Amino acid sequence: MPGHKGRPVLPELNHPFVIDYTEIAGTGNLYEGDEPILSAEQAAARYYGARDCLFSTGGSTQALITAIGAAVPMGGTLLVDRNCHKSVTHAMALLDLTPEFICPKPLNETGLPGQLDLEEVARAFQRVPQAAALLVTSPNYYGVLQDIPALADICHAHGVPLLVDAAHGAHLKAVGLPSPIEQGADLAAVSTHKTLPALGQSALLLSSGRIPFETLLETAPLFGTSSPSYVLLASIDLARAWLEGEGAQAYQVCAARVAALRREINETTVFSALTERDVPLDPCRLTVCCRGTNVTGHQLNDILHEQFQIDVEMADRDHVVCICTGADTARDYARLMGALRDGQFQRVQREYPPLLPFPMPERSCSVRQAWFAPKREVPLGQAAGCICARPVTPYPPGVPLLYPGERIRQVHIEFLRAGWYTDTEPICVMEENTGKGRGNADI
């Protein structure tokens, strides 16, 4: 990120001062639903096949928390994909929500998160009939797409909305894939700066109309500034217009190049690339696996940066992930392939520890209570028996393995040791037996 890759894809933004206004005559007010912002939002809604669209200058974080706040009552229960972003944890703390998690199935021996099991989702609704909504992430950081139509059918059969964190999917319409709303979702948070050329912090909240637009307008200001940037708002509209024009071809070229890259990596390098034969994927996301080579994902990330001046989006123990967009050039892809073919990378036979099943933690208190209670840091090796006070988010960026309010057991410590943490790395835990703390205070 960002999707523009530091290139002036939208030349209208080259002189930002002439559009850096606040609410004056002729500019409109983002949270009043008036012109000219409303027309820009309606244009985005038409493009994505949505009934309504609300612009966000607080990124997909603000859009996602707004969706949760509009769909789930204060103190309610939310069924949620365990692969969710840490901003969902913030919503739970602010709104005192109870999460009920569903873990995606591991896609392969590396533990890469795949699709949700639809039968497990159906069982979760039976187990938690009070759930007010289901929230899933699609595409996830590795590009995996969820079965949104099937998930929407399950939700609607139980009379609740489906919320989608589609932060990484703003470009999917341009490569021929339907938006989450067109697939049956009710609200979708979409980041226009991650894969489109809009400016940082710009995003959309798309709606099917199940939740009134007025509710979104009332909820969004709770989680954002009262002075939203008009430069960011303009960049959203410009990015949408670009995507409907020359950007459409740019993304079709991007998808074709990524498909070719996947084939070349699998056929001509020691690495392997995740492909659509493995799982439904974002056509523009490149996930490279390092298993069976002489480097880990972290080491490959460092080598690409230090020796080839290539920065990937993220790395974990077994993968590096590249966000490819319509702003990337043929030279960019050629440089990456040249680096991956470098002779320093070799195939090796090595023993990998078996994939540990994710040990679902037991909830000991609410997210809110754990977040606002007194806390302390302890080394990971001494955290068994403690209650997690802050999200433990190793990789990918922002996806927690442990949530506030969950009791940490030795099995969780072993899980973290296996892939990310050492015994000495600190974990933030809740101070217990100190009274109610601030967690029970009214907002």
PDB file of all heavy atoms in Angstrom, residues 310-343:
ATOM      1  N   ILE A 310      13.006  -3.679  -3.101  1.00  0.00           N
ATOM      2  CA  ILE A 310      11.610  -4.061  -3.311  1.00  0.00           C
ATOM      3  C   ILE A 310      10.952  -4.225  -1.946  1.00  0.00           C
ATOM      4  O   ILE A 310      11.449  -4.975  -1.108  1.00  0.00           O
ATOM      5  CB  ILE A 310      11.501  -5.371  -4.115  1.00  0.00           C
ATOM      6  CG1 ILE A 310      12.050  -5.175  -5.534  1.00  0.00           C
ATOM      7  CG2 ILE A 310      10.053  -5.859  -4.161  1.00  0.00           C
ATOM      8  CD1 ILE A 310      12.141  -6.465  -6.335  1.00  0.00           C
ATOM      9  N   ASP A 311       9.869  -3.523  -1.726  1.00  0.00           N
ATOM     10  CA  ASP A 311       9.134  -3.639  -0.469  1.00  0.00           C
ATOM     11  C   ASP A 311       7.825  -4.381  -0.720  1.00  0.00           C
ATOM     12  O   ASP A 311       6.994  -3.942  -1.525  1.00  0.00           O
ATOM     13  CB  ASP A 311       8.831  -2.263   0.116  1.00  0.00           C
ATOM     14  CG  ASP A 311      10.090  -1.591   0.643  1.00  0.00           C
ATOM     15  OD1 ASP A 311      10.775  -2.203   1.472  1.00  0.00           O
ATOM     16  OD2 ASP A 311      10.382  -0.467   0.217  1.00  0.00           O
ATOM     17  N   VAL A 312       7.658  -5.509  -0.040  1.00  0.00           N
ATOM     18  CA  VAL A 312       6.404  -6.245  -0.127  1.00  0.00           C
ATOM     19  C   VAL A 312       5.454  -5.724   0.937  1.00  0.00           C
ATOM     20  O   VAL A 312       5.852  -4.986   1.837  1.00  0.00           O
ATOM     21  CB  VAL A 312       6.635  -7.765   0.027  1.00  0.00           C
ATOM     22  CG1 VAL A 312       7.555  -8.279  -1.072  1.00  0.00           C
ATOM     23  CG2 VAL A 312       7.206  -8.098   1.404  1.00  0.00           C
ATOM     24  N   GLU A 313       4.199  -6.123   0.865  1.00  0.00           N
ATOM     25  CA  GLU A 313       3.207  -5.617   1.813  1.00  0.00           C
ATOM     26  C   GLU A 313       3.401  -6.212   3.195  1.00  0.00           C
ATOM     27  O   GLU A 313       3.328  -5.505   4.196  1.00  0.00           O
ATOM     28  CB  GLU A 313       1.788  -5.922   1.300  1.00  0.00           C
ATOM     29  CG  GLU A 313       0.683  -5.634   2.299  1.00  0.00           C
ATOM     30  CD  GLU A 313       0.623  -4.173   2.720  1.00  0.00           C
ATOM     31  OE1 GLU A 313       1.137  -3.308   1.992  1.00  0.00           O
ATOM     32  OE2 GLU A 313       0.062  -3.911   3.794  1.00  0.00           O
ATOM     33  N   MET A 314       3.608  -7.531   3.278  1.00  0.00           N
ATOM     34  CA  MET A 314       3.791  -8.152   4.588  1.00  0.00           C
ATOM     35  C   MET A 314       4.508  -9.476   4.418  1.00  0.00           C
ATOM     36  O   MET A 314       4.617 -10.001   3.313  1.00  0.00           O
ATOM     37  CB  MET A 314       2.456  -8.365   5.303  1.00  0.00           C
ATOM     38  CG  MET A 314       1.455  -9.265   4.608  1.00  0.00           C
ATOM     39  SD  MET A 314       1.675 -11.052   4.841  1.00  0.00           S
ATOM     40  CE  MET A 314       1.413 -11.200   6.590  1.00  0.00           C
ATOM     41  N   ALA A 315       5.022  -9.984   5.541  1.00  0.00           N
ATOM     42  CA  ALA A 315       5.680 -11.286   5.553  1.00  0.00           C
ATOM     43  C   ALA A 315       5.306 -12.001   6.838  1.00  0.00           C
ATOM     44  O   ALA A 315       5.136 -11.372   7.885  1.00  0.00           O
ATOM     45  CB  ALA A 315       7.200 -11.131   5.448  1.00  0.00           C
ATOM     46  N   ASP A 316       5.169 -13.321   6.745  1.00  0.00           N
ATOM     47  CA  ASP A 316       5.083 -14.142   7.942  1.00  0.00           C
ATOM     48  C   ASP A 316       6.156 -15.221   7.830  1.00  0.00           C
ATOM     49  O   ASP A 316       7.042 -15.130   6.967  1.00  0.00           O
ATOM     50  CB  ASP A 316       3.674 -14.718   8.144  1.00  0.00           C
ATOM     51  CG  ASP A 316       3.230 -15.660   7.036  1.00  0.00           C
ATOM     52  OD1 ASP A 316       4.099 -16.193   6.309  1.00  0.00           O
ATOM     53  OD2 ASP A 316       2.018 -15.880   6.899  1.00  0.00           O
ATOM     54  N   ARG A 317       6.099 -16.219   8.659  1.00  0.00           N
ATOM     55  CA  ARG A 317       7.160 -17.222   8.661  1.00  0.00           C
ATOM     56  C   ARG A 317       7.304 -17.925   7.313  1.00  0.00           C
ATOM     57  O   ARG A 317       8.415 -18.220   6.866  1.00  0.00           O
ATOM     58  CB  ARG A 317       6.874 -18.263   9.748  1.00  0.00           C
ATOM     59  CG  ARG A 317       7.944 -19.340   9.890  1.00  0.00           C
ATOM     60  CD  ARG A 317       7.514 -20.394  10.892  1.00  0.00           C
ATOM     61  NE  ARG A 317       6.250 -21.021  10.477  1.00  0.00           N
ATOM     62  CZ  ARG A 317       5.564 -21.883  11.221  1.00  0.00           C
ATOM     63  NH1 ARG A 317       5.988 -22.182  12.440  1.00  0.00           N
ATOM     64  NH2 ARG A 317       4.440 -22.405  10.778  1.00  0.00           N
ATOM     65  N   ASP A 318       6.184 -18.175   6.633  1.00  0.00           N
ATOM     66  CA  ASP A 318       6.202 -18.998   5.424  1.00  0.00           C
ATOM     67  C   ASP A 318       5.859 -18.254   4.144  1.00  0.00           C
ATOM     68  O   ASP A 318       5.916 -18.850   3.064  1.00  0.00           O
ATOM     69  CB  ASP A 318       5.224 -20.173   5.583  1.00  0.00           C
ATOM     70  CG  ASP A 318       5.643 -21.128   6.684  1.00  0.00           C
ATOM     71  OD1 ASP A 318       6.820 -21.511   6.719  1.00  0.00           O
ATOM     72  OD2 ASP A 318       4.791 -21.479   7.524  1.00  0.00           O
ATOM     73  N   HIS A 319       5.467 -16.977   4.216  1.00  0.00           N
ATOM     74  CA  HIS A 319       4.980 -16.281   3.031  1.00  0.00           C
ATOM     75  C   HIS A 319       5.481 -14.839   2.971  1.00  0.00           C
ATOM     76  O   HIS A 319       5.805 -14.245   4.000  1.00  0.00           O
ATOM     77  CB  HIS A 319       3.440 -16.218   3.011  1.00  0.00           C
ATOM     78  CG  HIS A 319       2.762 -17.516   3.212  1.00  0.00           C
ATOM     79  ND1 HIS A 319       2.430 -18.002   4.458  1.00  0.00           N
ATOM     80  CD2 HIS A 319       2.345 -18.461   2.313  1.00  0.00           C
ATOM     81  CE1 HIS A 319       1.829 -19.179   4.330  1.00  0.00           C
ATOM     82  NE2 HIS A 319       1.771 -19.481   3.048  1.00  0.00           N
ATOM     83  N   VAL A 320       5.477 -14.298   1.752  1.00  0.00           N
ATOM     84  CA  VAL A 320       5.446 -12.853   1.562  1.00  0.00           C
ATOM     85  C   VAL A 320       4.224 -12.553   0.706  1.00  0.00           C
ATOM     86  O   VAL A 320       3.807 -13.368  -0.123  1.00  0.00           O
ATOM     87  CB  VAL A 320       6.728 -12.289   0.894  1.00  0.00           C
ATOM     88  CG1 VAL A 320       7.934 -12.494   1.772  1.00  0.00           C
ATOM     89  CG2 VAL A 320       6.943 -12.869  -0.485  1.00  0.00           C
ATOM     90  N   VAL A 321       3.635 -11.383   0.940  1.00  0.00           N
ATOM     91  CA  VAL A 321       2.423 -10.991   0.223  1.00  0.00           C
ATOM     92  C   VAL A 321       2.678  -9.669  -0.483  1.00  0.00           C
ATOM     93  O   VAL A 321       3.166  -8.713   0.122  1.00  0.00           O
ATOM     94  CB  VAL A 321       1.232 -10.858   1.190  1.00  0.00           C
ATOM     95  CG1 VAL A 321       0.004 -10.325   0.460  1.00  0.00           C
ATOM     96  CG2 VAL A 321       0.924 -12.200   1.835  1.00  0.00           C
ATOM     97  N   CYS A 322       2.342  -9.637  -1.774  1.00  0.00           N
ATOM     98  CA  CYS A 322       2.497  -8.426  -2.584  1.00  0.00           C
ATOM     99  C   CYS A 322       1.125  -7.920  -2.998  1.00  0.00           C
ATOM    100  O   CYS A 322       0.297  -8.696  -3.503  1.00  0.00           O
ATOM    101  CB  CYS A 322       3.318  -8.716  -3.836  1.00  0.00           C
ATOM    102  SG  CYS A 322       4.971  -9.366  -3.522  1.00  0.00           S
ATOM    103  N   ILE A 323       0.872  -6.632  -2.782  1.00  0.00           N
ATOM    104  CA  ILE A 323      -0.341  -5.998  -3.286  1.00  0.00           C
ATOM    105  C   ILE A 323      -0.016  -5.394  -4.643  1.00  0.00           C
ATOM    106  O   ILE A 323       0.776  -4.448  -4.747  1.00  0.00           O
ATOM    107  CB  ILE A 323      -0.844  -4.908  -2.328  1.00  0.00           C
ATOM    108  CG1 ILE A 323      -1.281  -5.527  -1.000  1.00  0.00           C
ATOM    109  CG2 ILE A 323      -2.002  -4.137  -2.951  1.00  0.00           C
ATOM    110  CD1 ILE A 323      -1.806  -4.527   0.007  1.00  0.00           C
ATOM    111  N   CYS A 324      -0.595  -5.960  -5.679  1.00  0.00           N
ATOM    112  CA  CYS A 324      -0.375  -5.471  -7.048  1.00  0.00           C
ATOM    113  C   CYS A 324      -1.580  -4.633  -7.464  1.00  0.00           C
ATOM    114  O   CYS A 324      -2.728  -5.016  -7.200  1.00  0.00           O
ATOM    115  CB  CYS A 324      -0.188  -6.645  -8.004  1.00  0.00           C
ATOM    116  SG  CYS A 324       1.142  -7.785  -7.504  1.00  0.00           S
ATOM    117  N   THR A 325      -1.326  -3.493  -8.105  1.00  0.00           N
ATOM    118  CA  THR A 325      -2.407  -2.581  -8.462  1.00  0.00           C
ATOM    119  C   THR A 325      -2.217  -2.049  -9.875  1.00  0.00           C
ATOM    120  O   THR A 325      -1.211  -2.324 -10.542  1.00  0.00           O
ATOM    121  CB  THR A 325      -2.476  -1.377  -7.489  1.00  0.00           C
ATOM    122  OG1 THR A 325      -1.454  -0.427  -7.832  1.00  0.00           O
ATOM    123  CG2 THR A 325      -2.325  -1.805  -6.034  1.00  0.00           C
ATOM    124  N   GLY A 326      -3.196  -1.262 -10.292  1.00  0.00           N
ATOM    125  CA  GLY A 326      -3.128  -0.662 -11.613  1.00  0.00           C
ATOM    126  C   GLY A 326      -2.034   0.373 -11.766  1.00  0.00           C
ATOM    127  O   GLY A 326      -1.785   0.850 -12.875  1.00  0.00           O
ATOM    128  N   ALA A 327      -1.363   0.740 -10.674  1.00  0.00           N
ATOM    129  CA  ALA A 327      -0.266   1.704 -10.745  1.00  0.00           C
ATOM    130  C   ALA A 327       1.081   1.031 -10.939  1.00  0.00           C
ATOM    131  O   ALA A 327       2.082   1.715 -11.191  1.00  0.00           O
ATOM    132  CB  ALA A 327      -0.232   2.566  -9.490  1.00  0.00           C
ATOM    133  N   ASP A 328       1.154  -0.295 -10.801  1.00  0.00           N
ATOM    134  CA  ASP A 328       2.412  -1.001 -11.014  1.00  0.00           C
ATOM    135  C   ASP A 328       2.710  -1.104 -12.510  1.00  0.00           C
ATOM    136  O   ASP A 328       1.794  -1.177 -13.340  1.00  0.00           O
ATOM    137  CB  ASP A 328       2.351  -2.405 -10.405  1.00  0.00           C
ATOM    138  CG  ASP A 328       2.385  -2.377  -8.893  1.00  0.00           C
ATOM    139  OD1 ASP A 328       3.317  -1.764  -8.344  1.00  0.00           O
ATOM    140  OD2 ASP A 328       1.485  -2.969  -8.264  1.00  0.00           O
ATOM    141  N   THR A 329       3.984  -1.146 -12.832  1.00  0.00           N
ATOM    142  CA  THR A 329       4.401  -1.175 -14.230  1.00  0.00           C
ATOM    143  C   THR A 329       5.022  -2.523 -14.582  1.00  0.00           C
ATOM    144  O   THR A 329       5.364  -3.325 -13.703  1.00  0.00           O
ATOM    145  CB  THR A 329       5.436  -0.077 -14.501  1.00  0.00           C
ATOM    146  OG1 THR A 329       6.644  -0.376 -13.769  1.00  0.00           O
ATOM    147  CG2 THR A 329       4.922   1.293 -14.068  1.00  0.00           C
ATOM    148  N   ALA A 330       5.201  -2.749 -15.879  1.00  0.00           N
ATOM    149  CA  ALA A 330       5.847  -3.987 -16.332  1.00  0.00           C
ATOM    150  C   ALA A 330       7.244  -4.106 -15.727  1.00  0.00           C
ATOM    151  O   ALA A 330       7.698  -5.212 -15.399  1.00  0.00           O
ATOM    152  CB  ALA A 330       5.913  -4.004 -17.859  1.00  0.00           C
ATOM    153  N   ARG A 331       7.928  -2.992 -15.570  1.00  0.00           N
ATOM    154  CA  ARG A 331       9.268  -3.020 -14.979  1.00  0.00           C
ATOM    155  C   ARG A 331       9.210  -3.468 -13.521  1.00  0.00           C
ATOM    156  O   ARG A 331      10.094  -4.199 -13.055  1.00  0.00           O
ATOM    157  CB  ARG A 331       9.910  -1.637 -15.084  1.00  0.00           C
ATOM    158  CG  ARG A 331      11.348  -1.584 -14.557  1.00  0.00           C
ATOM    159  CD  ARG A 331      11.990  -0.230 -14.839  1.00  0.00           C
ATOM    160  NE  ARG A 331      13.362  -0.212 -14.344  1.00  0.00           N
ATOM    161  CZ  ARG A 331      13.717   0.143 -13.107  1.00  0.00           C
ATOM    162  NH1 ARG A 331      12.766   0.508 -12.241  1.00  0.00           N
ATOM    163  NH2 ARG A 331      14.979   0.131 -12.732  1.00  0.00           N
ATOM    164  N   ASP A 332       8.179  -3.051 -12.806  1.00  0.00           N
ATOM    165  CA  ASP A 332       8.037  -3.475 -11.412  1.00  0.00           C
ATOM    166  C   ASP A 332       7.942  -4.996 -11.308  1.00  0.00           C
ATOM    167  O   ASP A 332       8.604  -5.622 -10.473  1.00  0.00           O
ATOM    168  CB  ASP A 332       6.781  -2.847 -10.785  1.00  0.00           C
ATOM    169  CG  ASP A 332       6.854  -1.333 -10.700  1.00  0.00           C
ATOM    170  OD1 ASP A 332       7.980  -0.803 -10.531  1.00  0.00           O
ATOM    171  OD2 ASP A 332       5.803  -0.687 -10.793  1.00  0.00           O
ATOM    172  N   TYR A 333       7.120  -5.582 -12.163  1.00  0.00           N
ATOM    173  CA  TYR A 333       6.954  -7.034 -12.129  1.00  0.00           C
ATOM    174  C   TYR A 333       8.231  -7.743 -12.565  1.00  0.00           C
ATOM    175  O   TYR A 333       8.607  -8.777 -12.002  1.00  0.00           O
ATOM    176  CB  TYR A 333       5.793  -7.448 -13.030  1.00  0.00           C
ATOM    177  CG  TYR A 333       4.448  -6.916 -12.578  1.00  0.00           C
ATOM    178  CD1 TYR A 333       3.796  -5.918 -13.294  1.00  0.00           C
ATOM    179  CD2 TYR A 333       3.836  -7.401 -11.428  1.00  0.00           C
ATOM    180  CE1 TYR A 333       2.572  -5.419 -12.884  1.00  0.00           C
ATOM    181  CE2 TYR A 333       2.610  -6.910 -11.013  1.00  0.00           C
ATOM    182  CZ  TYR A 333       1.972  -5.920 -11.742  1.00  0.00           C
ATOM    183  OH  TYR A 333       0.765  -5.426 -11.320  1.00  0.00           O
ATOM    184  N   ALA A 334       8.913  -7.187 -13.558  1.00  0.00           N
ATOM    185  CA  ALA A 334      10.158  -7.798 -14.023  1.00  0.00           C
ATOM    186  C   ALA A 334      11.227  -7.764 -12.934  1.00  0.00           C
ATOM    187  O   ALA A 334      11.988  -8.734 -12.768  1.00  0.00           O
ATOM    188  CB  ALA A 334      10.656  -7.073 -15.279  1.00  0.00           C
ATOM    189  N   ARG A 335      11.296  -6.666 -12.183  1.00  0.00           N
ATOM    190  CA  ARG A 335      12.270  -6.579 -11.085  1.00  0.00           C
ATOM    191  C   ARG A 335      11.979  -7.624 -10.023  1.00  0.00           C
ATOM    192  O   ARG A 335      12.887  -8.249  -9.479  1.00  0.00           O
ATOM    193  CB  ARG A 335      12.250  -5.179 -10.476  1.00  0.00           C
ATOM    194  CG  ARG A 335      12.843  -4.089 -11.366  1.00  0.00           C
ATOM    195  CD  ARG A 335      12.748  -2.725 -10.716  1.00  0.00           C
ATOM    196  NE  ARG A 335      13.464  -2.705  -9.431  1.00  0.00           N
ATOM    197  CZ  ARG A 335      12.920  -2.314  -8.293  1.00  0.00           C
ATOM    198  NH1 ARG A 335      11.643  -1.932  -8.252  1.00  0.00           N
ATOM    199  NH2 ARG A 335      13.632  -2.301  -7.191  1.00  0.00           N
ATOM    200  N   LEU A 336      10.691  -7.807  -9.709  1.00  0.00           N
ATOM    201  CA  LEU A 336      10.338  -8.806  -8.701  1.00  0.00           C
ATOM    202  C   LEU A 336      10.711 -10.207  -9.168  1.00  0.00           C
ATOM    203  O   LEU A 336      11.309 -10.986  -8.415  1.00  0.00           O
ATOM    204  CB  LEU A 336       8.836  -8.737  -8.399  1.00  0.00           C
ATOM    205  CG  LEU A 336       8.314  -9.784  -7.409  1.00  0.00           C
ATOM    206  CD1 LEU A 336       8.994  -9.648  -6.052  1.00  0.00           C
ATOM    207  CD2 LEU A 336       6.799  -9.663  -7.253  1.00  0.00           C
ATOM    208  N   MET A 337      10.386 -10.541 -10.418  1.00  0.00           N
ATOM    209  CA  MET A 337      10.728 -11.876 -10.919  1.00  0.00           C
ATOM    210  C   MET A 337      12.237 -12.071 -10.971  1.00  0.00           C
ATOM    211  O   MET A 337      12.749 -13.154 -10.647  1.00  0.00           O
ATOM    212  CB  MET A 337      10.130 -12.090 -12.309  1.00  0.00           C
ATOM    213  CG  MET A 337       8.662 -12.477 -12.307  1.00  0.00           C
ATOM    214  SD  MET A 337       8.277 -13.897 -11.249  1.00  0.00           S
ATOM    215  CE  MET A 337       9.419 -15.125 -11.857  1.00  0.00           C
ATOM    216  N   GLY A 338      12.971 -11.048 -11.350  1.00  0.00           N
ATOM    217  CA  GLY A 338      14.424 -11.155 -11.367  1.00  0.00           C
ATOM    218  C   GLY A 338      14.977 -11.440  -9.983  1.00  0.00           C
ATOM    219  O   GLY A 338      15.900 -12.251  -9.814  1.00  0.00           O
ATOM    220  N   ALA A 339      14.399 -10.792  -8.972  1.00  0.00           N
ATOM    221  CA  ALA A 339      14.854 -11.022  -7.598  1.00  0.00           C
ATOM    222  C   ALA A 339      14.531 -12.444  -7.148  1.00  0.00           C
ATOM    223  O   ALA A 339      15.368 -13.119  -6.537  1.00  0.00           O
ATOM    224  CB  ALA A 339      14.203 -10.001  -6.666  1.00  0.00           C
ATOM    225  N   LEU A 340      13.325 -12.927  -7.433  1.00  0.00           N
ATOM    226  CA  LEU A 340      12.929 -14.259  -6.986  1.00  0.00           C
ATOM    227  C   LEU A 340      13.717 -15.361  -7.689  1.00  0.00           C
ATOM    228  O   LEU A 340      13.840 -16.480  -7.165  1.00  0.00           O
ATOM    229  CB  LEU A 340      11.426 -14.469  -7.208  1.00  0.00           C
ATOM    230  CG  LEU A 340      10.501 -13.571  -6.373  1.00  0.00           C
ATOM    231  CD1 LEU A 340       9.043 -13.827  -6.734  1.00  0.00           C
ATOM    232  CD2 LEU A 340      10.729 -13.791  -4.877  1.00  0.00           C
ATOM    233  N   ARG A 341      14.269 -15.067  -8.860  1.00  0.00           N
ATOM    234  CA  ARG A 341      15.085 -16.053  -9.587  1.00  0.00           C
ATOM    235  C   ARG A 341      16.548 -16.009  -9.175  1.00  0.00           C
ATOM    236  O   ARG A 341      17.366 -16.784  -9.687  1.00  0.00           O
ATOM    237  CB  ARG A 341      14.982 -15.804 -11.093  1.00  0.00           C
ATOM    238  CG  ARG A 341      13.628 -16.107 -11.711  1.00  0.00           C
ATOM    239  CD  ARG A 341      13.742 -16.133 -13.232  1.00  0.00           C
ATOM    240  NE  ARG A 341      12.459 -16.355 -13.870  1.00  0.00           N
ATOM    241  CZ  ARG A 341      11.772 -15.437 -14.550  1.00  0.00           C
ATOM    242  NH1 ARG A 341      12.269 -14.205 -14.659  1.00  0.00           N
ATOM    243  NH2 ARG A 341      10.623 -15.727 -15.095  1.00  0.00           N
ATOM    244  N   ASP A 342      16.916 -15.118  -8.265  1.00  0.00           N
ATOM    245  CA  ASP A 342      18.320 -14.961  -7.900  1.00  0.00           C
ATOM    246  C   ASP A 342      18.895 -16.277  -7.367  1.00  0.00           C
ATOM    247  O   ASP A 342      18.225 -17.044  -6.658  1.00  0.00           O
ATOM    248  CB  ASP A 342      18.453 -13.874  -6.831  1.00  0.00           C
ATOM    249  CG  ASP A 342      19.881 -13.434  -6.636  1.00  0.00           C
ATOM    250  OD1 ASP A 342      20.354 -12.587  -7.402  1.00  0.00           O
ATOM    251  OD2 ASP A 342      20.524 -13.970  -5.716  1.00  0.00           O
ATOM    252  N   GLY A 343      20.160 -16.513  -7.705  1.00  0.00           N
ATOM    253  CA  GLY A 343      20.810 -17.782  -7.377  1.00  0.00           C
ATOM    254  C   GLY A 343      21.007 -18.047  -5.899  1.00  0.00           C
ATOM    255  O   GLY A 343      21.278 -19.189  -5.507  1.00  0.00           O
TER     256      GLY A 343
END
